[in-house]
Amino acid sequence: MRGRDILVPMPVTMDTLVSLCKRRGFIFQSSEIYGGTGSCYDYGPLGVELKQNIKRLLWRDFVQSRADMVGIDASILMHPTVWKASGHLDHFTDPMVDCRECKLRFRADDVDTLPWTHYCPATKGNKFTIPPGEPCSHCGARRTLCPDCGKGLLTAPRQFNLMFKTFMGPVEEDASVAYLRPETAQAMFVNFDNVLQSMRMKLPFGIAQAGRSFRNEITPGNFIFRTREFEQMEIEYFVNPRDTVEGRPADEYWHDRWIADCMAWFQRYGLREENLKLREHDKDELSHYSKRTVDIDYRFPIGWSELMGIANRTDFDLKQHAKFSGKSLTYFDEERKEHVVPYVVEPAMGVDRALLAFMADAYVEEEVRGEKRVVLRFHPELAPVKVAVLPLLKKRDEIVRRARAIRADLAKQWRVVYDDTAAIGRLYRRQDEVGTPYCVTVDVQTVGDSEKGEVGDGKVTIRDRDSMEQARVPIDALPAVFHDLLSGGVWAQVTARFERQIEK
Ligand code: ATP
């Protein structure tokens, strides 16, 4: 690579990502013109493409391509007893404390992790902001009051249920209470028998669902890392607890398989190994139904945090729903001639968190010939736009006409854009910044000059985002070349038979 220095490989700051997302149409604050809605975000034109690509790849790799997986798409509103049976009504709570003065609410376990406001008696009441957990360096006091206003006493912790409550039908009464689902998982348990019977599934098999979940988080924040409305993709993988695989209980074997598969999936689409790690839940941290839970943590701009969790939930959920519904939720083991309640391994992923991780990992600032270049090095399958078609001169009708025709042709297969709103160097940088892997440039040589009687060569310049190398390719070869490049082909190999050029 020529004359390039990586300026900011990692970690990129959250502020940089937030500003890029807004400026380039990935993510906007929800209802921004009204001052915004707390911790809700809208995906813009490029954000929606990126998010759909993530979901499409998840679905393709974890559902469509596997014989042991099927999918469902269930209602967000479910029977309220679902949440009683699942334990969410009684246990899906966070302890919270309120400031008696400013009324702000905090998660009890977060209070000591926040910087705190202090009016110091040793300095005539001057106001200081003190780092989390540290005492005041003037008077030695530790935080006892509200970390935000520094004046109010905090209430004792109270349990706060994170489910959003609403009412079904015209009457707001207890009998019509409904909840927005706080996870997608329960629909897979509730539909276990429907899927088993209709699809004649044999253990082990899994049911997947991707969709919105809602949690009235007390302390949402860090951009799309923790929001009150978010998307999940969850898999419930049912196994026969009496089976063994490679000498191990089937549930333990499959738990490890899913951990490895999920890790490999994130790396396959670009997350660097050094930014990923597994975190085993300690015994006292485990949910009461979980035999073992492992999180995949990612080095987000805010530090190491959970990207997804993979839990061995045993037979807890099916047994609970059988108990509360009175329906049998078992599997008939033909070999042993007995009914069993399957164990379940649950890989649970946040789509928005995955998107944030892919953006953070792809973000690079480089210096190219003395100028800063910002690049999102997205895997081509994730990139919101696959190809940008750019005319070298927008005043030449024939160049513009040809460029538009190329865009229309390639757009039959991929998301392809046309842009003529700046000079070529600027257009390349704009595409780099949103992660477009390839550009096509149509120039005078392509179309020739009819006034001078010159015939064009019918070739265009294609440019690789990462290496910035260029090759001269016949227009009619473009679909095949992009097919190879976008399905994992290596630039140097795919373009070896074409003439190479240097970026001007
Ligand atoms: P956390 O500890 O971060 O609150 P969790 O352990 O409660 O997450 P799960 O219930 O296991 O999360 O949900 C599975 C995945 O859903 C998480 O790993 C995360 O990627 C995503 N997720 C959960 N809550 C949120 C949220 N409020 N905003 C965005 N994504 C979320």
Side-chain angles (χ1 to χ4, degrees), residues 215 217 225-227 230 232 306-309 348 350 353:
R215 295 181 188 179
E217 301 274 7
F225 179 83
R226 188 183 301 285
T227 50
F230 55 97
Q232 287 184 308
E306 177 180 332
L307 175 57
M308 72 172 296
R353 273 191 206 176

Side-chain angles (χ1 to χ4, degrees), residues 57-71 201 204-208 233 235 237-239 253-254 257-262 265 347:
L57 295 174
L58 279 168
W59 203 259
R60 184 187 72 188
D61 298 341
F62 287 131
V63 185
Q64 286 174 339
S65 65
R66 296 179 58 136
D68 57 348
M69 290 289 307
V70 290
M201 305 304 288
F205 73 90
I207 311 178
M233 163 127 171
I235 292 167
Y237 196 77
F238 300 99
V239 303
Y253 169 86
W254 281 106
R257 270 288 291 273
W258 277 106
I259 294 167
D261 286 356
C262 291
W265 190 86

Side-chain angles (χ1 to χ4, degrees), residues 259 263 277-281 285 293-297 305-310:
I259 294 167
M263 256 315 212
K277 69 177 180 201
L278 296 178
R279 193 182 73 81
E280 194 88 31
H281 282 215
E285 189 191 351
T293 297
V294 174
D295 287 346
I296 296 184
D297 283 3
S305 307
E306 177 180 332
L307 175 57
M308 72 172 296
I310 303 143

